[in-house]
Amino acid sequence: MKKKLVSVLMCAAMTATVLAGCGSSSTTTTTDTSSADTSAADTSASNAAETTAATEAAADASADASASGDVLTIGFAQVGHESDWRTASTNSCQTVFTAENGYDLQFVDCDNDSAVQIEAVRGFIEQDVDYIIIDPIVSTGWDTVLTECEDAGIPVIVIDRTIDDSDKYVSWVGSNFKTEGLAAGEWLKAYAELKGIEDINVLVIEGSTGASATIGRTDGFKEIADREGWTILDSQNGDFTQAGGQEVMESYCKSYEGQFNVVICQNDNEAFGAMDAMKNAGVSYGVDGDVILVSFDACTAGLEYVLSGDINADFECNPLAAPFVEEVIQTLEAGGTPEKEVYMSEHWFVNEDILSSITVDGEEQELTVVDQAVVDAQY
Ligand code: AHR
């Protein structure tokens, strides 16, 4: 029997307001392009403000839950611990789903193993948890176990990466990975034009194979590369880790010596590894180097390298999903129907103040020049 919170009706109204601000059910990312004169620090802080609004709304509801003595058990099957982004994502859930807030969080680190992740979900079914959160390592192979969740009457909320072969979950909260890839491509096009760079020869270090983050970023960037006639010399799996990024880049430096002028790393940790490999191979990168270095995630350490000029541009993926997931849960507890898709806002970060915006999918999107305040405001 699922425990129902009876004191969250007011929160449900707040939920609707906050989720509406997140561009739910849109297929377009809600990158914040609202104000041309917004300062960089203000822009960087807007994720925090958005998250704070969601957190406050959900906190009111969970305070009511705690007061009434009800505890909701949440099973969370996390991808692993491969990156700074993943740590921020785990911290987000562990900060929101606390005993103090009226939750019992059952957390499983699946160490990037899909079989372990499926078994973790089955374990949550056996425990008869109230809700299951899944960040799917890969986007396929989910229908059987999601049917088992459905049969057990346990609602599933998907975060971050998408599930592409089943719709048996109540909501998904995350980012538009293809838009991130398109943005990286549009930025590179505009940047190269400004710098007078005509030949673009790209090496891509991909994220884990089968992850929707990898598929979306690869497709988005490739769409622009194909349109512009750039050469993608190679595209290999760095598994979203620093060691993986370094290993792939070491091999690229040998195989493509003197042939590349752009490296696209599909997350910050891969970029850190790629920087080490290029340094060791005597290849210069960043704003003063021979190679333009682009990254995704824009966690604090990534932005520090944007500030120093080692990474030219970093395309954010927002890891702070938990407050929005809590809103989904509280909506369900109140008997409401949450949005099927909740997109969180993201920003694009650059070192040089030479371009104020790019156009992505027909929409003008602001670029944030990184300063220390921007770094300090990030997770
Ligand atoms: O699914 C999100 C991706 O997974 C992040 O870009 C990466 O850092 C993580 O490992």
Side-chain angles (χ1 to χ4, degrees):
M1 179 75 83
K2 303 279 168 253
K3 301 172 194 77
K4 294 291 172 195
L5 300 179
V6 290
S7 52
V8 291
L9 290 168
M10 277 178 62
C11 178
M14 296 163 83
T15 297
T17 308
V18 174
L19 293 185
C22 294
S24 52
S25 77
S26 161
T27 53
T28 307
T29 194
T30 55
T31 297
D32 186 352
T33 58
S34 50
S35 165
D37 59 1
T38 304
S39 77
D42 286 348
T43 303
S44 178
S46 71
N47 275 0
E50 176 193 74
T51 303
T52 302
T55 305
E56 283 170 359
D60 287 350
S62 53
D64 289 343
S66 289
S68 71
D70 284 332
V71 172
L72 289 176
T73 303
I74 315 282
F76 176 24
Q78 173 63 293
V79 168
H81 50 273
E82 71 284 0
S83 63
D84 288 21
W85 189 99
R86 191 60 55 197
T87 303
S89 162
T90 295
N91 287 344
S92 175
C93 275
Q94 290 179 337
T95 304
V96 168
F97 297 112
T98 60
E100 195 188 19
N101 288 343
Y103 298 100
D104 172 14
L105 179 64
Q106 301 293 313
F107 176 81
V108 178
D109 176 333
C110 301
D111 202 15
N112 213 24
D113 185 329
S114 297
V116 169
Q117 192 167 42
I118 301 276
E119 282 319 301
V121 173
R122 293 208 165 105
F124 295 146
I125 296 172
E126 263 178 44
Q127 286 179 62
D128 193 24
V129 301
D130 294 306
Y131 293 93
I132 295 174
I133 304 171
I134 302 171
D135 189 331
I137 295 169
V138 293
S139 61
T140 54
W142 284 100
D143 200 54
T144 303
V145 75
L146 291 191
T147 304
E148 291 166 26
C149 295
E150 193 175 69
D151 292 346
I154 302 174
V156 171
I157 298 149
V158 179
I159 64 168
D160 173 37
R161 301 181 187 173
T162 54
I163 285 176
D164 297 338
D165 62 354
S166 176
D167 64 355
K168 291 177 182 140
Y169 54 88
V170 287
S171 277
W172 164 87
V173 178
S175 305
N176 190 324
F177 300 117
K178 183 166 181 197
T179 300
E180 294 170 9
L182 288 170
E186 295 291 10
W187 172 82
L188 180 60
K189 174 190 180 290
Y191 183 79
E193 270 171 20
L194 274 174
K195 297 277 181 176
I197 302 167
E198 282 171 12
D199 275 349
I200 302 281
N201 296 294
V202 188
L203 288 169
V204 178
I205 304 180
E206 294 182 15
S208 306
T209 303
S212 68
T214 301
I215 296 165
R217 289 172 192 163
T218 303
D219 289 353
F221 183 79
K222 189 171 179 306
E223 189 171 309
I224 307 303
D226 288 348
R227 187 190 73 197
E228 297 302 318
W230 299 336
T231 303
I232 297 185
L233 294 162
D234 212 336
S235 191
Q236 288 183 24
N237 177 7
D239 238 353
F240 284 130
T241 65
Q242 179 159 348
Q246 179 159 355
E247 195 182 327
V248 172
M249 196 67 229
E250 280 168 357
S251 130
Y252 281 167
C253 284
K254 288 183 193 134
S255 307
Y256 300 101
E257 190 184 347
Q259 297 174 50
F260 61 96
N261 59 355
V262 176
V263 172
I264 306 285
C265 295
Q266 288 187 352
N267 82 345
D268 284 341
N269 294 80
E270 287 180 344
F272 306 154
M275 286 192 280
D276 285 343
M278 285 193 277
K279 216 176 291 164
N280 293 340
V283 176
S284 65
Y285 51 84
V287 295
D288 297 322
D290 294 330
V291 172
I292 298 167
L293 182 56
V294 173
S295 184
F296 294 86
D297 282 358
C299 290
T300 303
L303 290 190
E304 276 165 358
Y305 282 113
V306 178
L307 181 59
S308 65
D310 292 288
I311 293 175
N312 297 70
D314 205 342
F315 295 83
E316 188 181 35
C317 179
N318 189 341
L320 308 180
F324 300 99
V325 173
E326 191 183 26
E327 297 245 8
V328 168
I329 289 172
Q330 296 301 343
T331 299
L332 290 165
E333 288 292 305
T337 306
E339 298 285 347
K340 186 79 178 179
E341 293 179 329
V342 179
Y343 284 91
M344 297 185 292
S345 69
E346 301 172 289
H347 302 95
W348 317 140
F349 296 98
V350 294
N351 172 279
E352 293 160 276
D353 194 4
I354 54 174
L355 267 172
S356 60
S357 65
I358 50 176
T359 302
V360 182
D361 251 350
E363 184 191 334
E364 192 182 359
Q365 299 183 351
E366 187 182 349
L367 296 170
T368 299
V369 177
V370 173
D371 59 19
Q372 193 58 51
V374 170
V375 175
D376 293 343
Q378 200 66 330
Y379 32 79

